[in-house]
Amino acid sequence: MSETPLQPSDRVASVPESGIRRFFEVAAEMDNVVSLGVGEPDFATPYRAREAAIDSLQRGRTSYTANKGMVELRERIADHVTRYDLNYDPDEEIIVTAGASEAIDATFRALVNPGDSVAIAQPAYVSYEPGVRFAGGEPLPVETRAEDEFVLTRERLEAAGAQEAELLVYCYPNNPTGATMTEDELREVAAFCREHDIAVMADEIYAALTYEGDHTSIATLPGMRERTVVFNGFSKAYAMTGMRLGYALAPAHVVESINRIHQYTMLSAPTTAQHAAIEALDNCEPDVEEMCTQYDRRRNFVLARLDEMGIDCFEATGAFYVFPESPWPDAGEFAEALLQAEQVAVVPGDAFGTGGEGHLRMSYASSMDDLRTAMDRIERFLE
């Protein structure tokens, strides 16, 4: 690096580039690639939400909103989350952010003191560990296991030493595994957190994409609301990834702390997206239901094809991912060879932490035609 006073901080230098992005930069330079790696819907944002966004622009509604988001949107979010038995005051306990990722990052910075231990259930969304490090905390991986269908258990928490952590962060339905957790399984985690006085950050961005049973939020369990921040948003269920809109639900004093960071870094979430989100919550649930039906159909197709190929994969029941075992000992080598030979992009599981080693993440948020092509190519590659 040339001599200059502009040097990365130690915190930034300690965080490697995303394994996902590095891999897909290679794929982007190739032709005829079928990607099973992108973690976003292939559907367009529902028509009525798009129309609401356009209408807001035509009416000149392009000013800042309140820091915590439009009151009308927060009121609708408060009503929406009651389907999960969550009850939050839209004035004091909800904040709208530029995607759920911003809410998660701001919450790390609001809650984590230098040197705090933050337990992260792995495999995990790639932003958690860097977010902890940027906030000055110490990530503590808690590896879940394929034999447990990647469910977080007391046994795994204890084995990792999570009883010494100040904070636990997890995502269920899970990215990258597609795992979900039942209420009974969450009760075990909740009891552990109460016993050891651990706060929880529950990333529930895929809550609507639960295919078997109902989604349960840990914040609804006894003694957990006051120690939990719940995250959700519009990117996944409403196919609004580019609009960058999420939200956090938490006790009022926590929302105030998150907002203290949010107001200085983002000021407010995108205004046009907030108008679209109001319409999405008011009138786009049929679109969400149809997308969920299509995802479930694709999920069953991919699981069946992997089984026919003899590739071991537990039955993922949420989000839009499957997480099969790699046919080769080195998942990274398999993914690179598959990309070069058959132009199919999948993500090596270790991109999501050590708990993902030996696995591959495949997204079925692609058309059935693309999924058929990808499965045919993988089968040919394994012959």
Side-chain angles (χ1 to χ4, degrees):
M1 186 176 295
S2 61
E3 291 297 326
T4 170
L6 298 173
Q7 298 293 338
S9 69
D10 291 342
R11 284 182 184 173
V12 170
S14 71
V15 175
E17 292 185 2
S18 166
I20 296 177
R21 293 300 169 199
R22 178 180 56 80
F23 186 77
F24 282 101
E25 284 175 1
V26 176
E29 296 176 358
M30 301 176 66
D31 296 326
N32 195 31
V33 171
V34 178
S35 177
L36 303 185
V38 179
E40 70 172 334
D42 63 313
F43 298 104
T45 300
Y47 175 79
R48 295 188 66 158
R50 283 181 278 144
E51 284 293 295
I54 293 168
D55 181 68
S56 74
L57 291 171
Q58 291 177 332
R59 292 174 183 270
R61 295 173 177 168
T62 55
S63 302
Y64 295 128
T65 70
N67 291 144
K68 290 191 288 187
M70 296 169 60
V71 172
E72 301 93 327
L73 176 55
R74 283 182 278 137
E75 289 174 344
R76 283 165 172 81
I77 290 170
D79 181 65
H80 175 76
V81 299
T82 59
R83 66 180 58 191
Y84 305 121
D85 296 323
L86 294 166
N87 293 283
Y88 287 88
D89 178 359
D91 293 325
E92 304 291 336
E93 297 182 317
I94 299 175
I95 181 169
V96 179
T97 56
S101 292
E102 190 228 329
I104 291 167
D105 177 67
T107 303
F108 281 138
R109 289 192 279 164
L111 299 182
V112 176
N113 287 306
D116 278 359
S117 176
V118 180
I120 302 174
Q122 290 192 349
Y125 175 50
V126 295
S127 292
Y128 299 154
E129 185 169 329
V132 172
R133 293 194 184 279
F134 292 151
E138 296 294 333
L140 176 67
V142 180
E143 293 185 13
T144 60
R145 301 178 297 189
E147 52 263 39
D148 297 325
E149 297 191 341
F150 294 104
V151 165
L152 182 61
T153 66
R154 173 185 284 270
E155 176 188 12
R156 301 311 298 165
L157 287 162
E158 291 175 344
Q163 57 269 25
E164 303 299 326
E166 281 76 26
L167 180 64
L168 167 68
V169 57
Y170 69 74
C171 174
Y172 287 97
N174 184 260
N175 173 13
T177 68
T180 56
M181 289 186 66
T182 66
E183 181 176 334
D184 286 343
E185 291 164 342
L186 282 169
R187 285 186 182 279
E188 183 178 289
V189 174
F192 180 88
C193 292
R194 291 193 301 268
E195 289 170 19
H196 299 287
D197 196 25
I198 300 170
V200 176
M201 290 171 57
D203 184 350
E204 301 182 6
I205 189 70
Y206 295 97
L209 306 182
T210 302
Y211 308 112
E212 297 182 9
D214 296 322
H215 173 75
T216 298
S217 175
I218 199 170
T220 64
L221 302 180
M224 294 307 296
R225 188 185 189 278
E226 60 266 33
R227 67 175 64 248
T228 302
V229 184
V230 177
F231 304 96
N232 208 322
F234 297 87
S235 292
K236 310 301 182 178
Y238 294 91
M240 291 170 58
T241 51
M243 293 199 182
R244 307 312 305 133
L245 205 67
Y247 53 88
L249 315 171
H253 72 282
V254 178
V255 166
E256 178 56 33
S257 297
I258 297 169
N259 190 43
R260 195 169 302 175
I261 294 165
H262 172 73
Q263 68 186 354
Y264 288 121
T265 54
M266 295 300 298
L267 201 148
S268 63
T271 301
T272 306
Q274 292 189 56
H275 285 286
I278 290 171
E279 182 65 21
L281 291 175
D282 282 351
N283 292 304
C284 295
E285 287 307 307
D287 300 85
V288 174
E289 292 172 6
E290 176 58 25
M291 285 187 278
C292 286
T293 297
Q294 293 302 318
Y295 288 139
D296 194 23
R297 176 173 170 245
R298 298 170 184 183
R299 175 182 74 99
N300 289 320
F301 170 76
V302 170
L303 287 170
R305 286 296 304 272
L306 292 174
D307 183 62
E308 290 171 4
M309 289 181 234
I311 298 176
D312 290 332
C313 185
F314 85 103
E315 187 177 353
T317 53
F320 37 60
Y321 310 105
V322 294
F323 205 62
E325 291 186 17
S326 171
W328 293 5
D330 189 314
E333 288 184 1
F334 177 85
E336 291 187 17
L338 177 66
L339 179 62
Q340 295 296 331
E342 294 290 350
Q343 292 77 56
V344 175
V346 298
V347 183
D350 61 5
F352 306 95
T354 56
E357 289 180 354
H359 289 78
L360 304 161
R361 190 188 78 169
M362 299 181 182
S363 169
Y364 48 86
S366 297
S367 70
M368 282 298 293
D369 285 345
D370 280 352
L371 291 174
R372 289 191 185 95
T373 298
M375 293 298 112
D376 288 345
R377 291 181 181 182
I378 293 171
E379 185 173 24
R380 184 171 61 200
F381 181 68
L382 292 173
E383 289 176 351

mmCIF file of all heavy atoms in Angstrom, residues 8-33:
data_model
loop_
_atom_site.group_PDB
_atom_site.id
_atom_site.type_symbol
_atom_site.label_atom_id
_atom_site.label_comp_id
_atom_site.label_asym_id
_atom_site.label_seq_id
_atom_site.Cartn_x
_atom_site.Cartn_y
_atom_site.Cartn_z
ATOM 1 N N PRO A 8 -6.792 1.869 6.702
ATOM 2 C CA PRO A 8 -7.927 1.228 7.371
ATOM 3 C C PRO A 8 -7.665 1.103 8.869
ATOM 4 O O PRO A 8 -6.527 0.890 9.305
ATOM 5 C CB PRO A 8 -7.994 -0.156 6.709
ATOM 6 C CG PRO A 8 -7.220 -0.037 5.450
ATOM 7 C CD PRO A 8 -6.171 0.995 5.693
ATOM 8 N N SER A 9 -8.707 1.227 9.650
ATOM 9 C CA SER A 9 -8.583 1.001 11.082
ATOM 10 C C SER A 9 -8.288 -0.470 11.345
ATOM 11 O O SER A 9 -8.516 -1.331 10.481
ATOM 12 C CB SER A 9 -9.878 1.385 11.799
ATOM 13 O OG SER A 9 -10.914 0.476 11.467
ATOM 14 N N ASP A 10 -7.794 -0.770 12.512
ATOM 15 C CA ASP A 10 -7.508 -2.162 12.861
ATOM 16 C C ASP A 10 -8.773 -3.006 12.805
ATOM 17 O O ASP A 10 -8.736 -4.175 12.403
ATOM 18 C CB ASP A 10 -6.886 -2.240 14.251
ATOM 19 C CG ASP A 10 -5.474 -1.649 14.293
ATOM 20 O OD1 ASP A 10 -4.862 -1.508 13.204
ATOM 21 O OD2 ASP A 10 -5.006 -1.332 15.389
ATOM 22 N N ARG A 11 -9.902 -2.425 13.229
ATOM 23 C CA ARG A 11 -11.160 -3.192 13.209
ATOM 24 C C ARG A 11 -11.543 -3.586 11.788
ATOM 25 O O ARG A 11 -11.922 -4.724 11.530
ATOM 26 C CB ARG A 11 -12.286 -2.375 13.843
ATOM 27 C CG ARG A 11 -12.227 -2.301 15.360
ATOM 28 C CD ARG A 11 -13.394 -1.520 15.904
ATOM 29 N NE ARG A 11 -13.292 -1.373 17.351
ATOM 30 C CZ ARG A 11 -14.106 -0.621 18.080
ATOM 31 N NH1 ARG A 11 -15.091 0.045 17.491
ATOM 32 N NH2 ARG A 11 -13.951 -0.539 19.389
ATOM 33 N N VAL A 12 -11.420 -2.636 10.869
ATOM 34 C CA VAL A 12 -11.781 -2.926 9.485
ATOM 35 C C VAL A 12 -10.788 -3.919 8.883
ATOM 36 O O VAL A 12 -11.186 -4.874 8.194
ATOM 37 C CB VAL A 12 -11.832 -1.632 8.650
ATOM 38 C CG1 VAL A 12 -11.967 -1.949 7.164
ATOM 39 C CG2 VAL A 12 -12.991 -0.759 9.104
ATOM 40 N N ALA A 13 -9.518 -3.729 9.163
ATOM 41 C CA ALA A 13 -8.503 -4.615 8.595
ATOM 42 C C ALA A 13 -8.632 -6.042 9.103
ATOM 43 O O ALA A 13 -8.215 -6.991 8.427
ATOM 44 C CB ALA A 13 -7.111 -4.075 8.930
ATOM 45 N N SER A 14 -9.251 -6.213 10.273
ATOM 46 C CA SER A 14 -9.387 -7.550 10.861
ATOM 47 C C SER A 14 -10.536 -8.351 10.257
ATOM 48 O O SER A 14 -10.677 -9.544 10.520
ATOM 49 C CB SER A 14 -9.602 -7.440 12.374
ATOM 50 O OG SER A 14 -10.897 -6.930 12.679
ATOM 51 N N VAL A 15 -11.363 -7.698 9.441
ATOM 52 C CA VAL A 15 -12.542 -8.362 8.875
ATOM 53 C C VAL A 15 -12.277 -8.707 7.415
ATOM 54 O O VAL A 15 -12.026 -7.815 6.595
ATOM 55 C CB VAL A 15 -13.788 -7.455 8.979
ATOM 56 C CG1 VAL A 15 -14.984 -8.101 8.288
ATOM 57 C CG2 VAL A 15 -14.110 -7.170 10.445
ATOM 58 N N PRO A 16 -12.326 -9.982 7.054
ATOM 59 C CA PRO A 16 -12.066 -10.365 5.661
ATOM 60 C C PRO A 16 -13.226 -9.984 4.750
ATOM 61 O O PRO A 16 -14.349 -9.726 5.212
ATOM 62 C CB PRO A 16 -11.920 -11.892 5.741
ATOM 63 C CG PRO A 16 -12.748 -12.283 6.924
ATOM 64 C CD PRO A 16 -12.607 -11.158 7.916
ATOM 65 N N GLU A 17 -12.968 -9.945 3.462
ATOM 66 C CA GLU A 17 -14.038 -9.715 2.494
ATOM 67 C C GLU A 17 -15.024 -10.875 2.541
ATOM 68 O O GLU A 17 -14.682 -12.002 2.890
ATOM 69 C CB GLU A 17 -13.463 -9.582 1.086
ATOM 70 C CG GLU A 17 -12.634 -8.336 0.863
ATOM 71 C CD GLU A 17 -12.195 -8.195 -0.586
ATOM 72 O OE1 GLU A 17 -12.588 -9.057 -1.405
ATOM 73 O OE2 GLU A 17 -11.463 -7.245 -0.890
ATOM 74 N N SER A 18 -16.256 -10.596 2.169
ATOM 75 C CA SER A 18 -17.294 -11.619 2.169
ATOM 76 C C SER A 18 -16.946 -12.749 1.219
ATOM 77 O O SER A 18 -16.616 -12.520 0.043
ATOM 78 C CB SER A 18 -18.644 -11.009 1.748
ATOM 79 O OG SER A 18 -19.588 -12.010 1.442
ATOM 80 N N GLY A 19 -16.992 -13.976 1.723
ATOM 81 C CA GLY A 19 -16.735 -15.143 0.883
ATOM 82 C C GLY A 19 -17.752 -15.289 -0.226
ATOM 83 O O GLY A 19 -17.450 -15.797 -1.312
ATOM 84 N N ILE A 20 -18.967 -14.842 0.016
ATOM 85 C CA ILE A 20 -20.013 -14.920 -1.011
ATOM 86 C C ILE A 20 -19.680 -13.993 -2.172
ATOM 87 O O ILE A 20 -19.701 -14.384 -3.344
ATOM 88 C CB ILE A 20 -21.382 -14.541 -0.415
ATOM 89 C CG1 ILE A 20 -21.795 -15.542 0.663
ATOM 90 C CG2 ILE A 20 -22.444 -14.489 -1.506
ATOM 91 C CD1 ILE A 20 -23.097 -15.203 1.334
ATOM 92 N N ARG A 21 -19.366 -12.738 -1.860
ATOM 93 C CA ARG A 21 -19.102 -11.764 -2.916
ATOM 94 C C ARG A 21 -17.885 -12.161 -3.740
ATOM 95 O O ARG A 21 -17.874 -12.035 -4.960
ATOM 96 C CB ARG A 21 -18.914 -10.382 -2.303
ATOM 97 C CG ARG A 21 -20.179 -9.834 -1.678
ATOM 98 C CD ARG A 21 -21.290 -9.708 -2.698
ATOM 99 N NE ARG A 21 -22.579 -9.439 -2.065
ATOM 100 C CZ ARG A 21 -23.740 -9.635 -2.659
ATOM 101 N NH1 ARG A 21 -23.785 -10.124 -3.878
ATOM 102 N NH2 ARG A 21 -24.865 -9.364 -2.027
ATOM 103 N N ARG A 22 -16.849 -12.620 -3.074
ATOM 104 C CA ARG A 22 -15.636 -13.015 -3.792
ATOM 105 C C ARG A 22 -15.943 -14.117 -4.791
ATOM 106 O O ARG A 22 -15.493 -14.094 -5.943
ATOM 107 C CB ARG A 22 -14.583 -13.495 -2.790
ATOM 108 C CG ARG A 22 -13.295 -13.978 -3.436
ATOM 109 C CD ARG A 22 -12.308 -14.443 -2.369
ATOM 110 N NE ARG A 22 -12.877 -15.473 -1.508
ATOM 111 C CZ ARG A 22 -12.954 -16.754 -1.846
ATOM 112 N NH1 ARG A 22 -12.539 -17.156 -3.041
ATOM 113 N NH2 ARG A 22 -13.454 -17.628 -1.016
ATOM 114 N N PHE A 23 -16.769 -15.090 -4.377
ATOM 115 C CA PHE A 23 -17.090 -16.214 -5.238
ATOM 116 C C PHE A 23 -17.927 -15.755 -6.433
ATOM 117 O O PHE A 23 -17.704 -16.173 -7.569
ATOM 118 C CB PHE A 23 -17.854 -17.265 -4.429
ATOM 119 C CG PHE A 23 -18.119 -18.535 -5.180
ATOM 120 C CD1 PHE A 23 -17.115 -19.475 -5.375
ATOM 121 C CD2 PHE A 23 -19.370 -18.793 -5.710
ATOM 122 C CE1 PHE A 23 -17.358 -20.645 -6.079
ATOM 123 C CE2 PHE A 23 -19.626 -19.960 -6.412
ATOM 124 C CZ PHE A 23 -18.612 -20.889 -6.600
ATOM 125 N N PHE A 24 -18.875 -14.855 -6.202
ATOM 126 C CA PHE A 24 -19.769 -14.468 -7.287
ATOM 127 C C PHE A 24 -19.177 -13.422 -8.214
ATOM 128 O O PHE A 24 -19.706 -13.197 -9.302
ATOM 129 C CB PHE A 24 -21.121 -14.021 -6.721
ATOM 130 C CG PHE A 24 -21.952 -15.213 -6.345
ATOM 131 C CD1 PHE A 24 -22.042 -15.612 -5.030
ATOM 132 C CD2 PHE A 24 -22.572 -15.974 -7.307
ATOM 133 C CE1 PHE A 24 -22.763 -16.733 -4.683
ATOM 134 C CE2 PHE A 24 -23.292 -17.098 -6.977
ATOM 135 C CZ PHE A 24 -23.393 -17.481 -5.661
ATOM 136 N N GLU A 25 -18.102 -12.800 -7.802
ATOM 137 C CA GLU A 25 -17.385 -11.960 -8.754
ATOM 138 C C GLU A 25 -16.826 -12.809 -9.893
ATOM 139 O O GLU A 25 -16.788 -12.389 -11.039
ATOM 140 C CB GLU A 25 -16.260 -11.205 -8.041
ATOM 141 C CG GLU A 25 -16.758 -10.037 -7.218
ATOM 142 C CD GLU A 25 -15.647 -9.389 -6.422
ATOM 143 O OE1 GLU A 25 -14.494 -9.849 -6.539
ATOM 144 O OE2 GLU A 25 -15.947 -8.443 -5.670
ATOM 145 N N VAL A 26 -16.403 -14.023 -9.555
ATOM 146 C CA VAL A 26 -15.925 -14.951 -10.580
ATOM 147 C C VAL A 26 -17.082 -15.370 -11.479
ATOM 148 O O VAL A 26 -16.982 -15.363 -12.712
ATOM 149 C CB VAL A 26 -15.271 -16.191 -9.933
ATOM 150 C CG1 VAL A 26 -14.860 -17.203 -11.011
ATOM 151 C CG2 VAL A 26 -14.074 -15.780 -9.095
ATOM 152 N N ALA A 27 -18.215 -15.717 -10.860
ATOM 153 C CA ALA A 27 -19.375 -16.170 -11.625
ATOM 154 C C ALA A 27 -19.898 -15.080 -12.558
ATOM 155 O O ALA A 27 -20.365 -15.363 -13.669
ATOM 156 C CB ALA A 27 -20.480 -16.615 -10.670
ATOM 157 N N ALA A 28 -19.802 -13.821 -12.119
ATOM 158 C CA ALA A 28 -20.329 -12.711 -12.917
ATOM 159 C C ALA A 28 -19.587 -12.532 -14.232
ATOM 160 O O ALA A 28 -20.126 -11.957 -15.185
ATOM 161 C CB ALA A 28 -20.272 -11.417 -12.103
ATOM 162 N N GLU A 29 -18.363 -13.025 -14.304
ATOM 163 C CA GLU A 29 -17.571 -12.879 -15.522
ATOM 164 C C GLU A 29 -17.783 -14.027 -16.501
ATOM 165 O O GLU A 29 -17.183 -14.047 -17.575
ATOM 166 C CB GLU A 29 -16.088 -12.776 -15.148
ATOM 167 C CG GLU A 29 -15.756 -11.542 -14.316
ATOM 168 C CD GLU A 29 -14.312 -11.522 -13.883
ATOM 169 O OE1 GLU A 29 -13.593 -12.499 -14.203
ATOM 170 O OE2 GLU A 29 -13.897 -10.546 -13.241
ATOM 171 N N MET A 30 -18.642 -14.997 -16.130
ATOM 172 C CA MET A 30 -18.870 -16.166 -16.979
ATOM 173 C C MET A 30 -20.224 -16.067 -17.678
ATOM 174 O O MET A 30 -21.133 -15.358 -17.220
ATOM 175 C CB MET A 30 -18.810 -17.441 -16.125
ATOM 176 C CG MET A 30 -17.485 -17.634 -15.408
ATOM 177 S SD MET A 30 -17.485 -19.081 -14.331
ATOM 178 C CE MET A 30 -17.632 -20.400 -15.562
ATOM 179 N N ASP A 31 -20.361 -16.777 -18.773
ATOM 180 C CA ASP A 31 -21.608 -16.801 -19.527
ATOM 181 C C ASP A 31 -22.432 -18.027 -19.149
ATOM 182 O O ASP A 31 -21.901 -19.050 -18.720
ATOM 183 C CB ASP A 31 -21.321 -16.847 -21.037
ATOM 184 C CG ASP A 31 -20.620 -15.593 -21.525
ATOM 185 O OD1 ASP A 31 -20.905 -14.506 -20.978
ATOM 186 O OD2 ASP A 31 -19.792 -15.702 -22.455
ATOM 187 N N ASN A 32 -23.747 -17.899 -19.313
ATOM 188 C CA ASN A 32 -24.665 -19.029 -19.178
ATOM 189 C C ASN A 32 -24.648 -19.644 -17.779
ATOM 190 O O ASN A 32 -24.837 -20.851 -17.606
ATOM 191 C CB ASN A 32 -24.321 -20.110 -20.227
ATOM 192 C CG ASN A 32 -25.440 -21.128 -20.391
ATOM 193 O OD1 ASN A 32 -26.622 -20.802 -20.224
ATOM 194 N ND2 ASN A 32 -25.075 -22.369 -20.694
ATOM 195 N N VAL A 33 -24.412 -18.813 -16.773
ATOM 196 C CA VAL A 33 -24.382 -19.314 -15.398
ATOM 197 C C VAL A 33 -25.787 -19.349 -14.825
ATOM 198 O O VAL A 33 -26.563 -18.391 -14.962
ATOM 199 C CB VAL A 33 -23.478 -18.436 -14.511
ATOM 200 C CG1 VAL A 33 -23.611 -18.824 -13.033
ATOM 201 C CG2 VAL A 33 -22.029 -18.555 -14.957
#
